[in-house]
Amino acid sequence: MMTPNNPVPRRAFMKAMASSAGLVLAGCGQTEPPTYGNLLRMGDLLTYKAHRLLLPEHSLAHEYEYSDVTSVPAIGTTNPGNPARSIYSAEFGPVYEQLRADEFSGWRLTVEGSVMRPSAFTLADLKRLPSRTQITRHACEEGWSAIAQWTGVPLRTVLEAAGLQSGARYVQFHAYDDIVDGIDMLDALHPQTLLAYGMNGRDLPIGHGAPLRLRVETQLGYKSVKFLRRIVVTDHFDDNGSQGTIQNGWSWYAGI
Ligand SMILES: Nc1nc2c(c(=O)[nH]1)N[C@H]1C(S)=C(S)[C@@H](COP(=O)(O)O)O[C@H]1N2
Ligand SMILES: [Mo]
């Protein structure tokens, strides 16, 4: 019953809104443009808003059996230390090469930005945190998909260890090949969003992003940034400039 003292719970209100499709997008006040406001990008914005309204929070991506695991091609950068590759960072490529030579003993993941305790994690630090193993399908925007088992620490656990500040809304991932990409807090806190150091029961291979990659099971393959070096929590949407997806012609939001 709806009286001023007994308002419809927000969730029920959103459900009612969602059933009258035309009103869904107009009723959305909590999402922020994940992209620029030009016409060509309108579709991205609509997809993002529709997903954020219609998908149950933290609905899980399907998980498979180990017998379903397939071979997975290594795509995009397969070694950030190789200057012959198209995406090569003159600054971080040589750093990666040295880290790899030392079997990543000197590697650190820094967590910065809107956190209470900016931190630097070694691989051993991350492996000491509670881990999660999941067998999921990776869907590349190029049209292929493959199934693998991933082991790592939920991003949520690392963010909680660093302590999110109250304004924190997005998380950016910086890689050794100079790619930077970001996700919103809903995907960042999703239980299947992992910082993965293992694949199919072994250490993550170089070609698949060693020593640490992101797994975002709710989005297309390119959002699962490989070769991580730095995580930055932000209060505001950041397109990450010329290193980001948007200026390179990709959708910032690639929900599946
Ligand atoms: N740093 C970095 N991350 C990246 C890429 C890349 O080139 N560099 N390619 C992306 C794309 S398009 C896909 S499909 C997956 C491929 O992961 P895989 O090599 O483990 O199959 O990584 C994504 N993450
Ligand atoms: Mo991809």
Side-chain angles (χ1 to χ4, degrees):
M1 195 175 37
M2 193 164 82
T3 71
N5 295 328
N6 183 17
V8 175
R10 185 175 165 281
R11 204 173 275 276
F13 173 72
M14 294 302 253
K15 264 200 188 137
M17 290 291 288
S19 62
S20 51
L23 291 173
V24 168
L25 300 167
C28 180
Q30 65 172 150
T31 53
E32 194 167 288
T35 185
Y36 300 137
N38 69 45
L39 276 177
L40 281 174
R41 291 285 179 183
M42 280 282 282
D44 297 355
L45 183 55
L46 295 180
T47 306
Y48 178 76
K49 289 197 167 191
H51 272 194
R52 285 293 171 264
L53 276 177
L54 298 175
L55 289 178
E57 280 183 36
H58 291 169
S59 60
L60 296 180
H62 184 73
E63 294 190 16
Y64 295 80
E65 301 298 321
Y66 202 85
S67 55
D68 298 322
V69 165
T70 67
S71 69
V72 182
I75 291 292
T77 301
T78 50
N79 175 7
N82 180 358
R85 303 295 300 215
S86 59
I87 313 170
Y88 176 76
S89 160
E91 186 178 3
F92 295 109
V95 177
Y96 185 85
E97 198 51 35
Q98 187 58 52
L99 290 169
R100 189 170 72 94
D102 300 337
E103 291 174 347
F104 301 113
S105 57
W107 176 90
R108 299 286 182 279
L109 176 75
T110 60
V111 181
E112 306 159 45
S114 298
V115 292
M116 319 277 206
R117 296 172 291 280
S119 314
F121 295 87
T122 64
L123 213 46
D125 291 336
L126 295 174
K127 287 180 178 176
R128 267 194 296 272
L129 293 169
S131 73
R132 181 183 163 95
T133 293
Q134 62 201 26
I135 300 171
T136 50
R137 182 184 293 276
H138 174 99
C140 172
E141 72 296 341
E142 290 172 347
W144 57 270
S145 73
I147 296 171
Q149 183 197 57
W150 306 100
T151 299
V153 52
L155 175 61
R156 175 179 205 133
T157 304
V158 170
L159 294 177
E160 284 170 354
L164 287 174
Q165 292 183 6
S166 59
R169 295 192 55 194
Y170 295 92
V171 185
Q172 321 299 327
F173 304 89
H174 296 246
Y176 281 97
D177 57 359
D178 236 9
I179 280 178
V180 187
D181 205 350
I183 57 178
D184 70 8
M185 205 46 82
L186 193 68
D187 277 342
L189 299 179
H190 189 284
Q192 290 171 317
T193 299
L194 295 190
L195 296 173
Y197 45 72
M199 180 183 185
N200 298 338
R202 325 183 83 123
D203 283 349
L204 187 65
I206 301 290
H208 294 290
L212 191 78
R213 77 174 300 165
L214 182 64
R215 288 297 312 163
V216 189
E217 308 297 356
T218 50
Q219 296 202 45
L220 287 176
Y222 64 83
K223 300 295 287 190
S224 287
V225 181
K226 305 194 284 187
F227 313 107
L228 295 177
R229 60 180 178 84
R230 178 171 179 237
I231 289 180
V232 182
V233 178
T234 57
D235 294 357
H236 301 284
F237 177 71
D238 186 346
D239 74 1
N240 298 304
S242 60
Q243 293 163 298
T245 38
I246 294 174
Q247 291 189 27
N248 290 298
W250 307 69
S251 293
W252 176 81
Y253 182 69
I256 46 179

